[in-house]
Amino acid sequence: MLSIGGGAGSYTLTSTNDAQQVATYLWNNFLGGQSSSRPLGDAVLDGIDFDIEEGTTQHWDELARYLSGYSKQGKKVYLTAAPQCPFPDAWMGGALKTGLFDYVWVQFYNNPPCQYSSGNIAKLVNAWNQWNSIPATKIFLGLPAAPNAAGSGFIPVADLTSKVLPAIKSSAKYGGALKTGLFDYVWVQFYNNPPCQYSSGNIAKLVNAWNQWNSIPATKIFLGLPAAPNAAGSGFIPVADLTSKVLPAIKSSAKYGGVMLWSKYYDDRTGYSSSIKSSV
């Protein structure tokens, strides 16, 4: 997804024609269209995320309609949004009524009227129920991952798992995360994580973690590895051990998808992918 907007700078759509031109630009430069100036080259993104926090409320619904219209050209254009939790959102309220948005990750932080506060989940749950009334496919609970990641709204793990999630997970539009079953490919990083990675010839921790990951409702799981010893702090697997020990232990998994390497920079220097290709 390409996220547009943000909480800084100055941006707006000035007219219906402006919305159409922006949609055309995004389609040709980032999605399924063609342009000589594509910043990401041949990479084709899946859609556009609306993080509108500035400007006016005008024409974002039209931009959504124009972008969605390109889905008729063979590749679905996914639309997502990251509104604030006060309902309806000050900038995106009208656009979200179009029913064109697939996933909406609502920011339940930095907004005291609708967020968790000192053990009290009432305001958050009330706002959550309001957001579930919009015509979107899935709603996600947007949270800071640490107390200093936002000004307010951090939820301690214990309260999230014992109070908040039980109160909202029964919602028909609850999106959650990997448990949704909506993810096609999951490349798990089996490095920089000693409890679940290869270490000095020992593959037991990695295989145990691999088997756990294969329980999630995703289409394919990939083994994420560093392509060189210095590409990560830990978790590098020598080619011989990968091909003779690790891959034989995981390739029979129904969801085995392959190996994901970090990164092309290191792989170009070690030739790691070429060395393992015939075994993957």
Side-chain angles (χ1 to χ4, degrees):
M1 306 297 293
L2 175 72
S3 187
I4 61 173
S10 176
Y11 55 87
T12 188
L13 292 175
T14 59
S15 65
T16 299
N17 184 60
D18 190 20
Q20 184 175 24
Q21 290 184 356
V22 171
T24 300
Y25 173 83
L26 292 172
W27 169 257
N28 286 329
N29 285 276
F30 296 97
L31 304 174
Q34 295 183 345
S35 170
S36 60
S37 60
R38 291 179 67 91
L40 303 180
D42 293 334
V44 177
L45 301 186
D46 294 311
I48 303 297
D49 176 62
F50 287 58
D51 180 21
I52 308 305
E53 303 179 46
E54 301 285 346
T56 71
T57 63
Q58 302 300 307
H59 309 295
W60 299 112
D61 57 335
E62 293 172 316
L63 178 61
R65 290 190 178 93
Y66 284 125
L67 286 169
S68 183
Y70 282 111
S71 293
K72 299 175 183 178
Q73 298 192 25
K75 178 177 172 58
K76 176 176 170 57
V77 175
Y78 287 87
L79 298 181
T80 67
Q84 307 293 311
C85 61
F87 185 87
D89 182 70
W91 291 277
M92 287 289 295
L96 291 172
K97 289 180 181 179
T98 62
L100 297 173
F101 286 80
D102 299 285
Y103 312 124
V104 179
W105 8 81
V106 185
Q107 297 182 32
F108 284 90
Y109 53 93
N110 292 338
N111 289 287
C114 52
Q115 69 188 27
Y116 165 96
S117 177
S118 303
N120 188 340
I121 70 169
K123 293 179 180 179
L124 184 152
V125 172
N126 180 61
W128 173 268
N129 291 334
Q130 290 179 306
W131 278 104
N132 269 261
S133 69
I134 69 171
T137 307
K138 292 292 181 183
I139 309 296
F140 287 70
L141 183 71
L143 300 175
N148 58 347
S152 61
F154 173 74
I155 306 180
V157 170
D159 282 3
L160 179 65
T161 56
S162 68
K163 297 179 181 180
V164 178
L165 292 180
I168 69 172
K169 284 180 68 176
S170 61
S171 307
K173 293 179 181 177
Y174 170 77
L178 294 175
K179 291 182 180 180
T180 62
L182 299 172
F183 288 81
D184 301 289
Y185 309 128
V186 179
W187 8 81
V188 185
Q189 297 183 32
F190 285 90
Y191 54 94
N192 292 337
N193 291 288
C196 53
Q197 69 187 28
Y198 165 97
S199 178
S200 303
N202 187 340
I203 70 169
K205 293 180 179 179
L206 183 152
V207 172
N208 179 61
W210 173 267
N211 291 334
Q212 290 177 309
W213 276 103
N214 269 259
S215 68
I216 70 171
T219 306
K220 292 294 181 182
I221 309 295
F222 288 70
L223 182 70
L225 299 175
N230 58 344
S234 61
F236 174 75
I237 305 179
V239 169
D241 281 4
L242 179 66
T243 56
S244 68
K245 297 179 180 180
V246 178
L247 291 179
I250 69 173
K251 283 181 67 175
S252 61
S253 306
K255 294 179 180 177
Y256 170 79
V259 176
M260 182 276 293
L261 296 177
W262 175 263
S263 64
K264 188 177 187 300
Y265 172 86
Y266 288 102
D267 187 51
D268 285 345
R269 282 151 181 76
T270 64
Y272 194 89
S273 61
S274 298
S275 301
I276 69 171
K277 188 175 182 179
S278 62
S279 300
V280 172

